[in-house]
Amino acid sequence: PVAPSVAAVAMGNVGSNGAANIDPDSLPDDCAILRVWFKSATNLSNALGGDLDGLADPYVLLFLTKEHDELGDQRQTTSVKKDTLDPDWTPPEMFTFVIPHDWDLTKVSLICELMDFDRVGADDSLGNSVLPLREIGYNEDQVQQTLPILHPKTNTDTQGTSSLVVDLVSKTRAFATEQHVLIEYQRWQARGWGSKRPGHFLPTDRVNRWGTLDGSFTDQEFTTVEAHACEIRENHVVEKDWHFINPVGCHDGWEYATFFGTKVWSAHRGIRCCRRRFWRRTTIDQAALDEMEADAGPPTAAADGGGAAEAREEALGSLGKMLLASNLTS
């Protein structure tokens, strides 16, 4: 069988609980769906964590709170970005939260907590950004938010920012599209990169050439993994066929690591001997497509956190400045 044709595009990664991992048939029809595309953070404080070289290995915890208490069981995480205080998730990583119809959204907020991944000991908090859901219109266009990052203990401004895109939509609109994601793996041997077994993969490697996003199934044949994990839903049609995702800084979409089970992957090969890349296919419900307005997708322009106070004030916008002024007490 032939692997998918190569076509590099910039699209969002599916996060730890993206729409592709939720069965819409299990959800009530009157629920809403909060969709989040986390893009970047700037000017993280190495004083709150960081390695000996003054950098950090940041990732983001995303969860919902009601009056400062965590709400529900929907905690999710981005991937880890290595050796940086200005992490960038390009393409953005997507997360999906289910919002029951009886929740009072005037009291619910999305928390984006920046964390520093440590191989030994507990991970350190680098601060958090807060987005009250009352600020998000229902079934309106996606909105880019640039929010201040607040100190995890004092709740004061760290001078960092988080950049994300959000919308709050109906179940029908949220699940009009479905994204299938598979991972391709390769290992370096003396003969070069490849996925043969035996030949490239070691007997101890727990992957084959193709695998599912959650790591539960792998096989040497693409069509076998596709059939296992990527069934096209009834009334859905292929909107965009299989293509690999090409983050900024990656060549042909490849990310590198020292072993396949790690949480930390890099766009730079160095001496790393394992690599992976993500493949995606998007399907869309034809009936919903006929009823919905065309969705332009999340903005792709990177927010400029800037170094000057004037640039920061402009980047934060009215919501970010309001949250800073109130110190999140309201």
Side-chain angles (χ1 to χ4, degrees):
V2 179
S5 59
V6 173
V9 298
M11 294 184 64
N13 294 330
V14 172
S16 61
N17 190 22
N21 301 324
I22 297 177
D23 178 12
D25 294 335
S26 67
L27 303 177
D29 291 336
D30 58 359
C31 73
I33 303 296
L34 174 67
R35 300 187 294 186
V36 181
W37 291 264
F38 200 93
K39 298 176 63 178
S40 63
T42 63
N43 200 30
L44 298 180
S45 172
N46 59 6
L48 293 172
D51 302 327
L52 294 178
D53 59 5
L55 299 175
D57 300 325
Y59 66 95
V60 186
L61 287 175
L62 300 97
F63 54 95
L64 300 174
T65 64
K66 180 180 180 181
E67 298 179 330
H68 308 294
D69 294 324
E70 186 166 351
L71 191 61
D73 184 22
Q74 300 189 69
R75 179 169 287 219
Q76 303 169 52
T77 64
T78 68
S79 60
V80 177
K81 296 299 178 181
K82 188 173 175 60
D83 297 332
T84 181
L85 296 178
D86 299 287
D88 181 86
W89 287 268
T90 302
E93 296 194 7
M94 178 187 176
F95 303 88
T96 301
F97 296 86
V98 179
I99 310 296
H101 77 281
D102 56 352
W103 280 11
D104 181 359
L105 297 190
T106 64
K107 300 179 180 180
V108 178
S109 296
L110 170 70
I111 309 297
C112 302
E113 184 171 11
L114 279 297
M115 303 292 295
D116 178 26
F117 172 74
D118 290 321
R119 290 179 175 82
V120 179
D123 296 348
D124 300 310
S125 176
L126 302 176
N128 57 78
S129 296
V130 181
L131 177 61
L133 296 198
R134 64 176 179 267
E135 305 293 337
I136 306 174
Y138 182 67
N139 274 343
E140 296 181 0
D141 292 338
Q142 294 164 338
V143 178
Q144 178 163 323
Q145 301 281 1
T146 301
L147 303 174
I149 297 175
L150 303 179
H151 193 286
K153 295 181 179 179
T154 65
N155 221 28
T156 55
D157 187 8
T158 66
Q159 297 300 309
T161 60
S162 296
S163 178
L164 56 153
V165 172
V166 297
D167 65 11
L168 183 66
V169 297
S170 66
K171 171 186 169 181
T172 299
R173 182 167 179 176
F175 294 101
T177 60
E178 185 173 39
Q179 298 170 336
H180 301 142
V181 179
L182 297 178
I183 307 176
E184 181 182 10
Y185 297 100
Q186 290 188 351
R187 177 180 278 280
W188 171 265
Q189 296 289 2
R191 63 181 60 87
W193 290 103
S195 304
K196 292 182 180 179
R197 182 183 288 279
H200 290 100
F201 290 125
L202 302 179
T204 54
D205 288 334
R206 300 180 65 181
V207 301
N208 291 291
R209 181 180 180 185
W210 299 98
T212 56
L213 191 65
D214 63 4
S216 63
F217 186 84
T218 72
D219 195 85
Q220 286 295 97
E221 298 296 333
F222 170 80
T223 52
T224 301
V225 182
E226 180 189 35
H228 175 84
C230 302
E231 180 180 0
I232 296 178
R233 292 170 55 83
E234 184 179 1
N235 300 322
H236 274 230
V237 295
V238 173
E239 181 183 36
K240 191 175 296 251
D241 214 343
W242 290 105
H243 50 273
F244 68 76
I245 300 167
N246 199 28
V248 172
C250 293
H251 178 66
D252 288 342
W254 293 110
E255 297 177 322
Y256 299 87
T258 54
F259 61 97
F260 289 114
T262 184
K263 292 176 63 177
V264 180
W265 293 78
S266 173
H268 307 289
R269 178 188 171 186
I271 60 173
R272 300 173 180 91
C273 57
C274 301
R275 70 181 186 180
R276 70 177 184 182
R277 62 180 173 183
F278 294 86
W279 291 78
R280 167 167 302 192
R281 177 180 66 189
T282 304
T283 68
I284 187 166
D285 182 90
Q286 187 63 61
L289 179 64
D290 294 339
E291 298 174 0
M292 290 166 48
E293 294 181 354
D295 187 357
T300 58
D304 180 8
E310 294 81 2
R312 174 172 166 75
E313 285 288 302
E314 182 178 355
L316 285 176
S318 58
L319 174 59
K321 286 183 282 188
M322 177 197 72
L323 292 173
L324 265 184
S326 66
N327 207 23
L328 299 185
T329 57
S330 60

